[in-house]
Amino acid sequence: QVQLVESGGGLVQPGGSLRLSCAASGLIFSDYTMSWYRQPPGAERELVALIGGTGRSTGYANSVKGRFVISRDNGKNTVYLQMNSLKPEDTSVYFCNAAYGGVTKYWGQGTQVTVSS
């Protein structure tokens, strides 16, 4: 049984930082492209960042480029999202995603990030 479990969300002031983690189990982690998505209130889910199986290739949404960094530790079956210089518009539920062959296979349950003073 595959599980993706996010953690690290919370309340942070504008300009602050958070690091999200997604721990995976039940799959060959390095075979999967891992991504972070977010879904603001009343909006559709959007891709934030992705990382290939080896960790050498990454991609970012324009809205977070230069502020967020995605990384992975295949030895720990975990993907991270370091979020810096957070803005109120980053407030959202953040979801971990595992894709194989370009097809989404699994989602995590989400973790809330709130950026507010």
Side-chain angles (χ1 to χ4, degrees), residues 2-6 22-25 27 34 96-98 106-109:
V2 175
Q3 282 192 309
L4 301 178
V5 180
E6 300 100 333
C22 171
S25 59
L27 74 171
M34 300 300 296
C96 181
N97 171 286
Y106 308 105
W107 288 99
Q109 82 288 350

Side-chain angles (χ1 to χ4, degrees), residues 2 4 26-35 37 50-53 72 97-107:
V2 175
L4 301 178
L27 74 171
I28 302 175
F29 186 67
S30 58
D31 283 352
Y32 288 78
T33 293
M34 300 300 296
S35 303
Y37 284 72
L50 60 85
I51 185 166
R72 66 190 297 161
N97 171 286
Y100 185 86
V103 178
T104 287
K105 295 295 186 182
Y106 308 105
W107 288 99

Side-chain angles (χ1 to χ4, degrees), residues 1-2 15-16 18-19 22-23 46 49-50 63 65 77 79 89 93 98 108-109 111:
Q1 180 181 356
V2 175
L18 280 177
R19 188 175 84 152
C22 171
E46 60 182 10
L50 60 85
S63 58
K65 205 171 288 185
N77 283 9
V79 61
E89 51 263 44
V93 180
Q109 82 288 350
T111 186

Side-chain angles (χ1 to χ4, degrees), residues 63-100:
S63 58
V64 306
K65 205 171 288 185
R67 299 188 298 123
F68 291 11
V69 178
I70 189 170
S71 61
R72 66 190 297 161
D73 185 337
N74 286 347
K76 294 182 179 180
N77 283 9
T78 301
V79 61
Y80 304 97
L81 185 68
Q82 178 66 44
M83 305 187 294
N84 302 319
S85 302
L86 282 160
K87 304 175 181 180
E89 51 263 44
D90 294 317
T91 294
S92 190
V93 180
Y94 284 73
F95 296 90
C96 181
N97 171 286
Y100 185 86

